[in-house]
Amino acid sequence: MSSVSRSFGIGIIGCGLIGQKRAKALGTGGNLVACADIDAARAQALAGKSGAKAFRDWRELIWLPEVDIVIVSTLHDSLAAITYAAIEAGKHVLVEKPAARNAKELEPIMTAAKEKGIKVHVGFNHRYHRSLRKAKEIFDSGVLGELMFIRARYGHGGRIGYDKEWRAKPEMSGGGELIDQGPHLIDLSRWFLGEFSEVQGFAHTYYWDMPVDDNGFLLLKTANKQTAFLHASCTEWKNLFSMEIYGRDGKLDLSGLGGSYGIEKLTWYRMLPEMGPPETTSWEYPMADDSWAVELAEFYDDIRLDREPAAGLGDAHAALKIIEKVYEESGYDHRA
């Protein structure tokens, strides 16, 4: 880009639900100039709203000179290949989590991005929800004291035919629920606790008739034994997001993500010197989810300021390594 004042040209590859969410969240910093999808009508429908070009073949999109940033919102099996090709074409990339089906698939991308000086942001949009942003602000202020552990659950109930969809096909998904919703739990836990040096877990298929897991349980420990106790499930029946962050001087309790997950809420329990019932402050965020827009605005700034994205390939790689270890211990082989 020759000028920081003009908006970035955005190309979206994968024009389904997530691609459409990304298009709506471009803000003033981005201008949709091209869309690609194997369903040509879907690409045309999204492109038509802004006068963008539409393609069936994503390879045509990545070489357009007017495209500065490529957003990759495809199924898991093509995330890595498209991201790599976009980097080779000199484009900055926002790729949806998990960014690849396994850690090995991600490694050439990490090398290429570094060699070419390309920015790659991984779509860990949960970091950008209002409740999580507020929780991080409270944590960073130091008032929780030293963190001890995190307990978190994330799940949904599937739908009729869920076990016949692409997420149930290991060659397309790279795994089941643990690689679907699990990366968000792992990423948020790393965001607060840092790197995990010990990984234990169990993934299993309890309900759905599919060769991938429908529940994943994790016990992750840092070098000084700070622990994340995590459960991702697609037998939750009633959609749920719950995360509790425990410090020596207080606790943060987060619930809801909006929509079917319920109103976003954050409660801070502040331990008093005399202990007993804590001082309690709560925030509710009933307004529309702005995480997608906040995330993209940050990425625009990353590019303009030449800084490393806060949620990057290293974070995706760390999450995938954890997931792979649990799959291996649980007897799943989802390698494509």
Side-chain angles (χ1 to χ4, degrees):
M1 280 186 58
S2 58
S3 167
V4 298
S5 60
R6 77 172 178 88
S7 63
F8 291 98
I10 308 293
I12 294 179
I13 300 174
C15 301
L17 179 63
I18 302 301
Q20 292 165 33
K21 280 180 180 283
R22 292 293 182 194
K24 288 176 184 174
L26 295 181
T28 56
N31 178 39
L32 186 62
V33 297
C35 299
D37 196 287
I38 54 174
D39 181 338
R42 194 157 62 176
Q44 188 59 57
L46 187 58
K49 295 176 182 177
S50 59
K53 295 176 180 176
F55 300 94
R56 191 176 185 278
D57 187 343
W58 58 265
R59 293 168 187 82
E60 296 181 65
L61 181 151
I62 62 171
W63 290 103
L64 291 175
E66 62 266 36
V67 171
D68 302 301
I69 299 171
V70 173
I71 295 176
V72 187
S73 299
T74 61
L75 307 188
H76 294 179
D77 61 341
S78 55
L79 291 174
I82 296 172
T83 300
Y84 185 84
I87 292 169
E88 290 294 305
K91 312 301 186 185
H92 299 293
V93 182
L94 187 154
V95 56
E96 302 298 346
K97 64 84 196 163
R101 289 171 294 183
N102 53 64
K104 188 178 179 182
E105 212 173 33
L106 208 56
E107 286 158 11
I109 295 166
M110 298 169 78
T111 301
K114 188 174 183 180
E115 287 177 351
K116 291 188 171 286
I118 294 294
K119 307 295 181 198
V120 181
H121 177 97
V122 178
F124 286 118
N125 77 295
H126 286 34
R127 292 190 187 198
Y128 301 90
H129 274 267
R130 289 182 174 90
S131 58
L132 267 304
R133 277 151 38 201
K134 183 67 176 177
K136 194 64 160 57
E137 177 190 315
I138 294 169
F139 164 70
D140 287 343
S141 75
V143 296
L144 294 180
E146 183 185 354
L147 286 197
M148 300 185 298
F149 59 90
I150 285 173
R151 181 170 61 203
R153 297 166 292 153
Y154 193 14
H156 62 87
R159 54 196 157 262
I160 292 174
Y162 186 73
D163 52 347
K164 302 293 186 289
E165 296 177 11
W166 69 269
R167 284 184 179 85
K169 297 177 172 66
E171 69 280 6
M172 299 180 77
S173 61
E177 177 65 5
L178 189 55
I179 203 172
D180 185 20
Q181 290 190 312
H184 283 304
L185 291 181
I186 296 167
D187 181 66
L188 292 174
S189 298
R190 289 182 66 255
W191 199 36
F192 286 98
L193 293 179
E195 295 296 336
F196 295 112
S197 56
E198 292 182 60
V199 176
Q200 296 171 270
F202 177 60
H204 191 65
T205 313
Y206 287 97
Y207 178 85
W208 294 103
D209 180 16
M210 58 188 187
V212 297
D213 54 292
D214 56 25
N215 279 267
F217 308 89
L218 302 175
L219 186 67
L220 312 176
K221 301 173 193 171
T222 67
N224 59 354
K225 305 304 181 188
Q226 293 166 302
T227 299
F229 180 47
L230 313 176
H231 178 203
S233 173
C234 57
T235 61
E236 188 66 46
W237 311 141
K238 172 66 180 77
N239 289 6
L240 171 83
F241 178 82
S242 168
M243 187 169 200
E244 298 163 288
I245 303 165
Y246 292 81
R248 290 180 60 86
D249 301 318
K251 165 187 167 179
L252 298 176
D253 184 355
L254 300 103
S255 61
L257 292 170
S260 62
Y261 286 88
I263 290 175
E264 255 186 78
K265 186 176 180 180
L266 168 64
T267 303
W268 171 22
Y269 298 99
R270 182 169 161 267
M271 182 65 72
L272 300 174
E274 66 273 20
M275 298 187 82
E279 181 183 280
T280 304
T281 310
S282 292
W283 295 264
E284 283 197 357
Y285 303 96
M287 58 285 280
D289 171 21
D290 68 346
S291 64
W292 307 88
V294 173
E295 183 177 31
L296 270 167
E298 182 184 275
F299 188 40
Y300 298 154
D301 284 344
D302 291 338
I303 297 168
R304 291 182 175 126
L305 300 172
D306 191 25
R307 69 187 182 196
E308 278 304 301
L313 291 170
D315 299 295
H317 188 265
L320 285 168
K321 291 291 280 187
I322 289 168
I323 289 165
E324 284 170 36
K325 188 170 190 303
V326 174
Y327 278 155
E328 186 181 336
E329 288 181 358
S330 305
Y332 286 97
D333 183 358
H334 296 320
R335 287 170 297 184

